[in-house]
Amino acid sequence: MRILIVEDTADLSDAVQRHLRGQGHAVDCAATRDEAEAAWDVTEYDAVLLDLGLPDGSGLQLLRARRARGDRTPVLIATARDQISDRIAGLDAGADDYVVKPYDLDELAARLRAHARRAGGDPAAQVSLGEFRMDRAGGRLFLGQEEIRLTSREWAVLDALVGARGRVLSRQALEERLYAFDDEIAGNAVEVYVSRLRAKLGAEVIETRRGLGYLVP
């Protein structure tokens, strides 16, 4: 997934970023409303974690503006434990969910994944890929009772293709889900990860459409 974290507390933002990147997600961080708007305008995110108190404006105003433009990106707002009114206002403004600070990073990641799946049209956490069973909630892949080990980037490619099942994803679209703005992208990175997945799962799991990209049928 490609995720935007809008949080002006540097330590918290860094912790969330490290945790989500460790799970194979591409994560961009913004500390102000202006930075968030600039990133959001040029990138299609799978989910956004939005703090409401930003140094140059209200996160609530940012959310309302995005929804008014028809943006349906899943948004989780982060609120203080005693700010029930903020949660209500955020949900009324179009937020999909909220987390209360201090929040558990594993729970946050699970909520982001769940909302991204729903937005993609497939909320199911358990998916069949031929003989394989994919646990999209837990980030695990099984053949019978045996777990097939994937790297975080291999998982990210497979999860993106499964989320768009039946549709072709271009190399650029996959790169946007794998890499944040400050990541260095190798020219053949996507091809390498697809090749590794085929070696582990079989060549028929991922199809190549020449000149277009890849798909999971």
Side-chain angles (χ1 to χ4, degrees):
M1 294 194 302
R2 185 79 177 263
I3 302 168
L4 176 62
I5 305 300
V6 187
E7 170 62 61
D8 66 327
T9 303
D11 289 347
L12 178 57
S13 179
D14 289 346
V16 175
Q17 182 184 44
R18 286 195 304 271
H19 189 80
L20 294 175
R21 285 193 169 188
Q23 297 184 349
H25 304 303
V27 183
D28 297 317
C29 296
T32 68
R33 177 177 172 176
D34 284 348
E35 290 178 1
E37 286 182 315
W40 210 336
D41 282 343
V42 299
T43 306
E44 183 177 345
Y45 288 103
D46 295 293
V48 175
L49 175 66
L50 177 62
D51 187 27
L52 297 185
L54 299 173
D56 60 343
S58 167
L60 196 62
Q61 293 172 340
L62 172 59
L63 175 58
R64 286 177 177 145
R66 301 303 302 194
R67 293 305 190 224
R69 292 166 55 178
D71 191 316
R72 308 318 304 166
T73 304
V75 174
L76 278 70
I77 57 172
T79 70
R81 184 174 300 277
D82 59 346
Q83 295 300 312
I84 297 177
S85 60
D86 283 349
R87 298 174 218 168
I88 295 171
L91 293 170
D92 285 344
D96 298 271
D97 202 353
Y98 65 85
V99 289
V100 177
K101 296 179 180 180
Y103 43 76
D104 180 83
L105 294 177
D106 285 327
E107 180 184 0
L108 169 66
R111 286 174 181 262
L112 290 168
R113 290 194 301 267
H115 285 290
R117 289 197 306 270
R118 293 189 187 100
D122 185 7
Q126 303 292 324
V127 176
S128 295
L129 294 173
E131 298 179 334
F132 297 91
R133 176 173 59 85
M134 187 176 181
D135 177 6
R136 298 183 69 196
R140 304 172 73 187
L141 185 71
F142 296 90
L143 177 60
Q145 298 300 313
E146 179 187 359
E147 182 173 358
I148 307 301
R149 298 290 182 179
L150 301 181
T151 68
S152 59
R153 287 277 167 80
E154 289 168 357
W155 175 269
V157 170
L158 183 61
D159 190 56
L161 289 168
V162 168
R165 195 164 193 169
R167 294 186 287 114
V168 176
L169 288 184
S170 67
R171 185 180 74 175
Q172 180 180 355
L174 288 168
E175 286 176 346
E176 288 176 353
R177 287 165 170 79
L178 285 171
Y179 297 101
F181 287 130
D182 56 349
D183 287 334
E184 183 176 346
I185 305 174
N188 65 338
V190 170
E191 289 86 349
V192 169
Y193 294 128
V194 169
S195 177
R196 291 177 182 173
L197 286 168
R198 285 172 171 161
K200 293 179 179 182
L201 309 181
E204 70 283 355
V205 172
I206 301 174
E207 295 182 3
T208 298
R209 296 295 169 87
R210 292 196 179 279
L212 298 175
Y214 303 94
L215 84 158
V216 168

